[in-house]
Amino acid sequence: MSKYGDRIDRDRYYLEIARSVALRSPCTRANYGAIVVVNDAIVSTGYNGPVRGGVNCYEVGGCIKDVLNLPHGTAYDLCPAVHAEENCIINAARNGGQVLGGTLYLYGFDPKTDKVLDALPCDRCRRAIINSGIKMVVAMSADGEVKYYDVMDWVREDTERYIKNLRLALEGKLEMVDDNGEVSNEK
């Protein structure tokens, strides 16, 4: 304990800020907030929501993924949203921010229940994070634990998964791959 009382640790401090950013999300299904920190300074923030000038789901009668009863983490092509991680990286670029070598903090919650959601970037966001030069992702999990992801691990995992699936395809054993890149139906 410091002389000023209990002091929140740095990662939880930044995750709390990401939680506050998530409060700006207009999504009716899941609210996510992201921030990028470089040299202990916040250089950008982002939350999930439609493209600039686009309509919010609640403005047009609802979420198509809710109407179709689709599970979370699927059917991204039906949703008009830009993810929090993507918006954070894009906002840094729009404002001359430097994310290279930084850490992205990610927090999500269900707007209907306020329950914390597992905050794990989708494959599309992982690719954007990798190419932006961010080195680490720190995310809040549904059980309240702080999770740490080394971005270079994703590069290795994605490469291994691609090579495995290519071999199966060349052998005629790969028929379909699910949203996570896993073989979901072999011949």
Side-chain angles (χ1 to χ4, degrees):
M1 184 185 313
S2 74
K3 68 179 183 178
Y4 302 107
D6 290 339
R7 187 170 184 215
I8 191 170
D9 71 68
R10 189 179 315 261
D11 289 334
R12 288 191 182 271
Y13 164 70
Y14 286 129
L15 285 167
E16 282 296 316
I17 294 170
R19 184 186 68 77
S20 292
V21 173
L23 294 170
R24 286 284 302 148
S25 172
C27 183
T28 59
R29 197 172 159 95
N31 297 154
Y32 285 93
I35 66 170
V36 172
V37 175
V38 178
N39 296 324
D40 208 22
I42 297 170
V43 296
S44 185
T45 67
Y47 53 85
N48 59 314
V51 297
R52 292 174 188 267
V55 298
N56 294 307
C57 296
Y58 68 84
E59 294 173 320
V60 293
C63 169
I64 191 169
K65 290 167 63 170
D66 279 346
V67 170
L68 296 173
N69 199 29
L70 298 173
H72 286 278
T74 64
Y76 291 127
D77 53 330
L78 294 177
C79 179
V82 178
H83 292 183
E85 306 94 301
E86 294 170 312
N87 269 327
C88 192
I89 293 165
I90 292 165
N91 289 339
R94 289 174 61 93
N95 297 304
Q98 177 64 263
V99 300
L100 194 63
T103 300
L104 185 138
Y105 290 85
L106 183 62
Y107 190 102
F109 65 90
D110 182 319
K112 294 175 190 93
T113 65
D114 218 23
K115 180 182 177 221
V116 177
L117 300 171
D118 280 327
L120 179 63
C122 69
D123 283 344
R124 184 178 79 194
C125 289
R126 281 172 43 153
R127 290 181 191 121
I129 290 166
I130 290 165
N131 278 1
S132 73
I134 290 168
K135 297 296 181 197
M136 178 70 66
V137 173
V138 179
M140 183 60 73
S141 66
D143 63 7
E145 294 297 314
V146 177
K147 301 286 184 174
Y148 299 89
Y149 301 97
D150 182 329
V151 173
M152 288 311 298
D153 288 343
W154 292 344
V155 174
R156 285 186 286 279
E157 290 167 12
D158 289 352
T159 300
E160 290 169 5
R161 184 173 55 199
Y162 178 77
I163 291 169
K164 173 188 160 200
N165 289 337
L166 177 59
R167 284 186 182 136
L168 289 170
L170 291 170
E171 294 169 4
K173 295 179 181 176
L174 181 67
E175 187 172 313
M176 183 180 284
V177 177
D178 67 18
D179 288 340
N180 296 318
E182 299 297 324
V183 177
S184 60
N185 186 9
E186 291 187 59
K187 289 183 179 179

